[in-house]
């Protein structure tokens, strides 16, 4: 059982129990859980379908910054060099449950 969710301009294929690093999100409350409602597809007993109503519940594990990416520009024979770095912020979440059309799928304990 898996689902495809869209958040932060990217799509992620997740299953219950997966740990995923997504774009930074702010937890709406202090209980460190977040709910995703923009679900693109869900695979269930009847194959892959676009759900009518689906949501994914996840637990926020932590926040951090990714590896540094170096961007280097060079124009030959013109004495032009420019170096720039970037580190993207992320939020690490564990998928707890996927609920699609009234059926809830959770991780095996």
């Amino acid at each position: 059982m898996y689902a495809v969710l869209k958040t932060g301009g990217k799509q992620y294929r997740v299953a219950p129990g997966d740990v995923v690093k997504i774009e930074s999100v702010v937890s709406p409350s202090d209980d460190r859980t977040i709910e995703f409602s923009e679900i693109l597809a869900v695979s269930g007993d009847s194959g892959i379908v676009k759900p009518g109503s689906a949501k994914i519940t996840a637990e926020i594990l932590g926040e951090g910054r990714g590896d540094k990416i170096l961007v280097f520009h060079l124009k030959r024979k013109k004495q032009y060099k420019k170096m720039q770095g970037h580190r993207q912020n992320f939020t690490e979440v564990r998928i707890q449950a996927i609920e699609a059309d009234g059926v809830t799928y959770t991780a095996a304990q």
Side-chain angles (χ1 to χ4, degrees), residues 36-98:
F36 300 102
S37 59
E38 193 169 358
I39 312 303
L40 302 177
V42 173
S43 78
D45 300 330
S46 61
I48 298 173
V49 296
K50 183 171 177 17
S53 64
K55 64 180 179 179
I56 295 178
T57 306
E59 170 190 11
I60 295 177
L61 299 178
E63 298 172 351
R65 299 184 77 190
D67 294 335
K68 180 169 263 193
I69 298 171
L70 294 178
V71 180
F72 181 69
H73 295 277
L74 171 72
K75 293 187 180 178
R76 297 185 324 129
K77 302 177 186 175
K78 304 296 180 194
Q79 302 299 315
Y80 175 80
K81 290 189 287 187
K82 179 176 142 183
M83 174 134 8
Q84 182 179 4
H86 176 75
R87 290 182 70 187
Q88 185 68 35
N89 296 328
F90 67 84
T91 300
E92 192 171 25
V93 297
R94 176 180 290 127
I95 307 300
Q96 292 178 331
I98 299 173

Coordinates of all heavy atoms in Angstrom, one line a residue, residues 36-98:
F36 N -1.5 15.8 5.4 CA -1.4 16.2 4.0 C -2.7 15.8 3.4 O -3.2 14.7 3.5 CB -0.2 15.4 3.3 CG 1.1 15.7 3.9 CD1 1.7 14.8 4.8 CD2 1.8 16.9 3.6 CE1 2.9 15.0 5.3 CE2 3.0 17.1 4.2 CZ 3.6 16.2 5.0
S37 N -3.3 16.8 2.6 CA -4.5 16.5 2.0 C -4.4 16.5 0.4 O -5.4 16.1 -0.2 CB -5.6 17.6 2.4 OG -5.1 18.8 2.0
E38 N -3.3 16.9 -0.1 CA -3.1 16.9 -1.6 C -2.5 15.6 -2.0 O -1.3 15.5 -2.2 CB -2.3 18.1 -2.0 CG -2.3 18.3 -3.5 CD -1.7 19.6 -3.9 OE1 -1.2 20.4 -3.0 OE2 -1.6 19.9 -5.1
I39 N -3.4 14.6 -2.2 CA -2.9 13.2 -2.5 C -3.3 13.0 -4.0 O -4.4 13.2 -4.4 CB -3.7 12.2 -1.7 CG1 -3.6 12.6 -0.2 CG2 -3.1 10.8 -1.9 CD1 -2.2 12.7 0.4
L40 N -2.3 12.6 -4.8 CA -2.5 12.5 -6.2 C -2.9 11.1 -6.6 O -3.7 10.9 -7.5 CB -1.1 12.8 -6.9 CG -0.6 14.2 -6.7 CD1 0.8 14.3 -7.4 CD2 -1.5 15.2 -7.1
A41 N -2.5 10.0 -5.9 CA -2.9 8.7 -6.2 C -2.7 7.8 -5.0 O -1.8 8.1 -4.2 CB -2.0 8.1 -7.4
V42 N -3.4 6.7 -4.9 CA -3.3 5.8 -3.9 C -3.4 4.4 -4.5 O -4.3 4.1 -5.3 CB -4.5 6.0 -2.8 CG1 -4.5 4.9 -1.8 CG2 -4.4 7.3 -2.2
S43 N -2.5 3.5 -4.1 CA -2.7 2.1 -4.5 C -3.3 1.3 -3.3 O -2.9 1.4 -2.2 CB -1.3 1.5 -4.8 OG -0.6 1.2 -3.6
G44 N -4.3 0.6 -3.6 CA -5.0 -0.2 -2.6 C -5.3 -1.6 -3.1 O -4.6 -2.1 -3.9
D45 N -6.4 -2.1 -2.6 CA -6.8 -3.5 -3.0 C -7.2 -3.5 -4.5 O -7.1 -4.5 -5.2 CB -7.9 -4.0 -2.1 CG -7.5 -4.0 -0.7 OD1 -6.3 -4.2 -0.4 OD2 -8.3 -3.8 0.2
S46 N -7.8 -2.4 -5.0 CA -8.3 -2.4 -6.4 C -7.4 -1.8 -7.4 O -7.8 -1.4 -8.4 CB -9.6 -1.7 -6.4 OG -9.4 -0.3 -6.0
G47 N -6.1 -1.7 -7.0 CA -5.1 -1.1 -8.0 C -4.9 0.3 -7.7 O -5.2 0.9 -6.6
I48 N -4.2 1.0 -8.6 CA -3.9 2.4 -8.5 C -5.1 3.3 -8.9 O -5.6 3.2 -10.0 CB -2.7 2.8 -9.3 CG1 -1.5 2.0 -8.7 CG2 -2.4 4.3 -9.2 CD1 -0.2 2.2 -9.6
V49 N -5.6 4.1 -8.0 CA -6.7 5.0 -8.3 C -6.5 6.4 -7.8 O -5.6 6.6 -6.9 CB -8.0 4.4 -7.6 CG1 -8.4 3.1 -8.2 CG2 -7.9 4.3 -6.1
K50 N -7.2 7.3 -8.3 CA -7.2 8.7 -7.8 C -8.3 8.7 -6.8 O -9.4 8.5 -7.1 CB -7.4 9.7 -8.9 CG -7.3 11.1 -8.5 CD -7.4 12.0 -9.7 CE -7.4 13.5 -9.4 NZ -7.1 14.1 -8.2
P51 N -7.9 9.0 -5.5 CA -9.0 8.9 -4.5 C -9.9 10.1 -4.5 O -9.5 11.2 -4.9 CB -8.1 8.9 -3.2 CG -6.9 9.6 -3.6 CD -6.6 9.3 -5.0
G52 N -11.1 9.8 -4.1 CA -12.1 10.9 -4.0 C -11.8 11.8 -2.7 O -11.7 13.0 -2.8
S53 N -11.5 11.1 -1.6 CA -11.1 11.8 -0.4 C -10.0 11.0 0.3 O -10.2 9.8 0.6 CB -12.3 12.0 0.5 OG -12.8 10.7 0.9
A54 N -8.9 11.6 0.4 CA -7.8 10.9 1.0 C -7.0 11.9 1.9 O -6.9 13.1 1.6 CB -6.9 10.3 0.0
K55 N -6.3 11.4 2.9 CA -5.4 12.2 3.7 C -4.3 11.4 4.2 O -4.5 10.2 4.4 CB -6.1 13.0 4.7 CG -6.7 12.2 5.8 CD -7.4 13.0 6.8 CE -8.1 12.2 7.9 NZ -8.8 12.9 8.9
I56 N -3.1 12.0 4.5 CA -2.0 11.3 5.1 C -1.6 12.0 6.4 O -1.5 13.2 6.4 CB -0.8 11.3 4.1 CG1 -1.1 10.5 2.8 CG2 0.4 10.7 4.8 CD1 0.0 10.5 1.8
T57 N -1.5 11.2 7.4 CA -1.1 11.7 8.7 C 0.4 11.3 9.0 O 0.8 10.2 8.8 CB -1.9 11.1 9.8 OG1 -3.3 11.3 9.5 CG2 -1.6 11.8 11.2
A58 N 1.2 12.3 9.4 CA 2.6 12.1 9.6 C 3.1 12.8 10.9 O 2.5 13.7 11.3 CB 3.4 12.7 8.4
E59 N 4.1 12.2 11.4 CA 4.7 12.7 12.7 C 6.0 13.4 12.3 O 6.8 12.9 11.5 CB 5.0 11.6 13.6 CG 5.9 11.9 14.8 CD 6.3 10.7 15.5 OE1 6.2 9.5 15.0 OE2 6.9 10.8 16.6
I60 N 6.2 14.6 12.8 CA 7.4 15.4 12.5 C 8.6 14.9 13.4 O 8.4 14.9 14.7 CB 7.2 16.9 12.7 CG1 6.2 17.4 11.7 CG2 8.5 17.7 12.6 CD1 5.8 18.9 11.9
L61 N 9.7 14.4 12.8 CA 10.8 13.9 13.6 C 11.8 15.0 13.9 O 12.4 15.0 14.9 CB 11.4 12.7 12.9 CG 10.6 11.5 12.6 CD1 11.3 10.5 11.8 CD2 10.1 10.9 13.9
G62 N 12.0 15.9 12.9 CA 13.0 16.9 13.1 C 13.2 17.8 11.9 O 12.5 17.6 10.9
E63 N 14.0 18.8 12.1 CA 14.2 19.8 11.0 C 15.7 19.9 10.8 O 16.5 19.6 11.7 CB 13.6 21.1 11.3 CG 12.1 21.1 11.4 CD 11.5 22.4 11.9 OE1 12.3 23.2 12.3 OE2 10.3 22.5 11.9
G64 N 16.2 20.3 9.6 CA 17.6 20.5 9.4 C 17.9 21.1 8.1 O 17.0 21.7 7.5
R65 N 19.1 21.1 7.7 CA 19.6 21.6 6.4 C 20.3 20.5 5.6 O 21.1 19.8 6.2 CB 20.4 22.8 6.6 CG 19.7 23.9 7.4 CD 20.5 25.2 7.5 NE 20.5 25.8 6.3 CZ 21.3 26.9 6.0 NH1 22.2 27.3 6.8 NH2 21.2 27.4 4.8
G66 N 20.1 20.5 4.3 CA 20.7 19.5 3.5 C 22.2 19.8 3.2 O 22.8 20.8 3.8
D67 N 22.8 19.0 2.4 CA 24.2 19.2 2.1 C 24.3 20.4 1.2 O 23.4 20.9 0.5 CB 24.7 18.0 1.2 CG 24.7 16.7 2.1 OD1 24.8 16.8 3.3 OD2 24.6 15.6 1.5
K68 N 25.5 21.0 1.3 CA 25.8 22.2 0.5 C 26.0 21.9 -1.0 O 26.7 20.9 -1.3 CB 27.1 22.9 1.0 CG 27.4 24.2 0.2 CD 28.4 25.0 0.9 CE 27.7 26.1 1.7 NZ 28.6 27.1 2.2
I69 N 25.4 22.6 -1.8 CA 25.5 22.5 -3.3 C 26.3 23.7 -3.7 O 25.9 24.9 -3.4 CB 24.1 22.5 -3.9 CG1 23.4 21.2 -3.5 CG2 24.3 22.5 -5.4 CD1 21.9 21.2 -3.9
L70 N 27.4 23.5 -4.4 CA 28.2 24.6 -4.9 C 27.8 24.9 -6.4 O 27.7 24.0 -7.2 CB 29.7 24.2 -4.8 CG 30.2 24.1 -3.4 CD1 31.7 23.7 -3.5 CD2 30.1 25.4 -2.7
V71 N 27.7 26.2 -6.7 CA 27.4 26.6 -8.1 C 28.6 27.4 -8.5 O 28.9 28.4 -7.9 CB 26.1 27.5 -8.1 CG1 25.8 27.9 -9.5 CG2 24.9 26.7 -7.5
F72 N 29.2 27.0 -9.6 CA 30.4 27.7 -10.0 C 30.2 28.1 -11.5 O 29.9 27.4 -12.4 CB 31.6 26.7 -9.9 CG 32.9 27.3 -10.4 CD1 33.5 28.3 -9.6 CD2 33.5 26.9 -11.5 CE1 34.7 28.9 -10.0 CE2 34.7 27.5 -11.9 CZ 35.3 28.5 -11.1
H73 N 30.4 29.4 -11.7 CA 30.3 30.0 -13.0 C 31.7 30.5 -13.5 O 32.4 31.1 -12.7 CB 29.3 31.2 -13.1 CG 27.9 30.9 -12.7 ND1 27.1 30.4 -13.7 CD2 27.2 31.0 -11.6 CE1 25.9 30.2 -13.1 NE2 26.0 30.5 -11.8
L74 N 32.0 30.2 -14.7 CA 33.3 30.5 -15.3 C 33.1 30.9 -16.7 O 32.4 30.2 -17.5 CB 34.2 29.3 -15.2 CG 35.6 29.5 -15.9 CD1 36.5 30.4 -15.2 CD2 36.2 28.1 -16.1
K75 N 33.7 32.0 -17.1 CA 33.7 32.4 -18.5 C 35.2 32.4 -18.9 O 36.0 33.2 -18.4 CB 33.1 33.8 -18.7 CG 31.6 33.8 -18.4 CD 31.0 35.1 -18.8 CE 29.5 35.1 -18.5 NZ 28.9 36.3 -18.8
R76 N 35.5 31.5 -19.8 CA 36.9 31.4 -20.2 C 37.4 32.6 -20.9 O 36.7 33.3 -21.6 CB 37.0 30.2 -21.2 CG 36.7 28.9 -20.7 CD 36.9 27.7 -21.6 NE 36.6 28.0 -23.0 CZ 37.5 27.7 -24.0 NH1 38.6 27.2 -23.7 NH2 37.2 28.0 -25.2
K77 N 38.7 32.9 -20.7 CA 39.4 34.0 -21.3 C 38.9 35.4 -21.0 O 39.3 36.3 -21.6 CB 39.4 33.8 -22.9 CG 40.0 32.5 -23.3 CD 40.0 32.3 -24.8 CE 40.4 31.0 -25.2 NZ 40.3 30.7 -26.6
K78 N 38.0 35.5 -20.1 CA 37.4 36.8 -19.7 C 37.7 37.2 -18.3 O 37.2 38.2 -17.8 CB 35.9 36.8 -19.9 CG 35.4 36.4 -21.3 CD 35.8 37.4 -22.3 CE 35.3 36.9 -23.7 NZ 36.0 37.7 -24.7
Q79 N 38.5 36.3 -17.5 CA 38.8 36.6 -16.2 C 37.6 36.7 -15.3 O 37.5 37.6 -14.4 CB 39.7 37.8 -16.0 CG 41.0 37.8 -16.8 CD 41.9 36.6 -16.4 OE1 42.1 36.4 -15.2 NE2 42.4 35.9 -17.4
Y80 N 36.6 35.9 -15.5 CA 35.3 35.9 -14.7 C 35.1 34.6 -14.0 O 35.0 33.6 -14.7 CB 34.1 36.3 -15.6 CG 32.8 36.2 -14.9 CD1 32.4 37.3 -14.1 CD2 32.0 35.1 -15.0 CE1 31.2 37.3 -13.5 CE2 30.8 35.1 -14.3 CZ 30.4 36.1 -13.6 OH 29.2 36.1 -12.9
K81 N 35.0 34.6 -12.7 CA 34.7 33.4 -11.9 C 33.7 33.9 -10.8 O 33.9 34.9 -10.2 CB 35.9 32.8 -11.3 CG 36.9 32.2 -12.2 CD 38.0 31.4 -11.5 CE 39.0 32.4 -10.9 NZ 40.1 31.7 -10.3
K82 N 32.8 33.0 -10.5 CA 31.9 33.3 -9.4 C 31.5 32.0 -8.8 O 31.1 31.0 -9.5 CB 30.6 34.0 -10.0 CG 29.6 34.3 -9.0 CD 28.4 35.1 -9.6 CE 27.1 34.7 -9.1 NZ 26.0 35.3 -9.7
M83 N 31.5 31.9 -7.5 CA 31.2 30.7 -6.7 C 30.1 31.1 -5.8 O 30.1 32.1 -5.1 CB 32.3 30.1 -6.0 CG 31.9 29.0 -5.1 SD 32.8 27.4 -5.1 CE 34.2 27.6 -5.9
Q84 N 29.0 30.2 -5.7 CA 27.9 30.4 -4.8 C 27.5 29.1 -4.2 O 27.6 28.1 -4.9 CB 26.8 31.0 -5.6 CG 25.5 31.4 -4.8 CD 24.5 32.0 -5.6 OE1 24.6 32.1 -6.8 NE2 23.4 32.4 -5.0
G85 N 27.1 29.1 -2.9 CA 26.7 27.9 -2.2 C 25.2 28.0 -1.8 O 24.7 29.1 -1.7
H86 N 24.6 26.8 -1.6 CA 23.2 26.8 -1.2 C 23.0 25.5 -0.3 O 23.5 24.5 -0.7 CB 22.3 26.7 -2.4 CG 20.8 26.6 -2.1 ND1 20.1 27.6 -1.6 CD2 20.0 25.5 -2.1 CE1 18.9 27.2 -1.4 NE2 18.8 25.9 -1.7
R87 N 22.2 25.7 0.8 CA 21.8 24.6 1.6 C 20.3 24.7 1.8 O 19.8 25.7 2.3 CB 22.5 24.7 3.0 CG 24.0 24.3 2.9 CD 24.6 24.3 4.2 NE 24.1 23.2 5.0 CZ 24.4 23.0 6.3 NH1 25.1 23.9 7.0 NH2 23.9 21.9 6.9
Q88 N 19.6 23.7 1.4 CA 18.1 23.7 1.5 C 17.6 23.2 2.8 O 18.1 22.2 3.3 CB 17.5 22.8 0.3 CG 16.0 22.9 0.2 CD 15.5 24.2 -0.2 OE1 16.2 24.8 -1.0 NE2 14.4 24.6 0.2
N89 N 16.6 23.9 3.4 CA 16.0 23.5 4.6 C 15.1 22.3 4.4 O 14.4 22.3 3.3 CB 15.3 24.6 5.3 CG 16.1 25.8 5.7 OD1 17.3 25.6 6.1 ND2 15.6 27.0 5.6
F90 N 15.0 21.4 5.3 CA 14.0 20.3 5.2 C 13.4 20.0 6.5 O 13.9 20.4 7.6 CB 14.7 19.0 4.6 CG 15.7 18.4 5.5 CD1 15.4 17.5 6.5 CD2 17.1 18.7 5.4 CE1 16.3 16.9 7.4 CE2 18.0 18.1 6.2 CZ 17.6 17.2 7.2
T91 N 12.3 19.2 6.5 CA 11.6 18.7 7.6 C 11.5 17.2 7.4 O 11.1 16.7 6.4 CB 10.2 19.3 7.8 OG1 10.3 20.7 7.9 CG2 9.5 18.7 9.0
E92 N 11.9 16.4 8.4 CA 11.9 15.0 8.4 C 10.6 14.5 9.0 O 10.4 14.8 10.2 CB 13.1 14.4 9.1 CG 13.4 12.9 8.8 CD 14.7 12.5 9.3 OE1 15.2 13.1 10.3 OE2 15.2 11.5 8.8
V93 N 9.8 13.7 8.3 CA 8.6 13.2 8.8 C 8.5 11.7 8.7 O 9.1 11.1 7.8 CB 7.4 13.8 8.1 CG1 7.3 15.3 8.3 CG2 7.4 13.5 6.6
R94 N 7.7 11.0 9.6 CA 7.4 9.6 9.5 C 5.9 9.5 9.2 O 5.1 10.0 9.9 CB 7.8 8.9 10.8 CG 7.4 7.4 10.7 CD 7.7 6.6 12.0 NE 9.1 6.5 12.1 CZ 9.8 6.9 13.2 NH1 9.2 7.4 14.2 NH2 11.1 6.7 13.2
I95 N 5.6 8.7 8.1 CA 4.2 8.5 7.7 C 3.6 7.6 8.7 O 4.1 6.4 8.8 CB 4.2 8.0 6.3 CG1 4.9 8.9 5.3 CG2 2.7 7.8 5.8 CD1 4.5 10.3 5.2
Q96 N 2.5 8.0 9.3 CA 1.8 7.1 10.3 C 0.7 6.4 9.7 O 0.5 5.2 9.9 CB 1.3 8.0 11.5 CG 2.4 8.5 12.3 CD 1.9 9.4 13.5 OE1 0.8 10.0 13.3 NE2 2.6 9.4 14.5
A97 N -0.2 7.1 8.9 CA -1.4 6.4 8.4 C -1.8 7.1 7.0 O -1.5 8.3 6.8 CB -2.5 6.5 9.3
I98 N -2.3 6.3 6.2 CA -2.9 6.8 4.9 C -4.4 6.4 4.9 O -4.7 5.2 5.1 CB -2.2 6.1 3.7 CG1 -0.7 6.5 3.7 CG2 -2.9 6.6 2.4 CD1 0.1 5.8 2.6

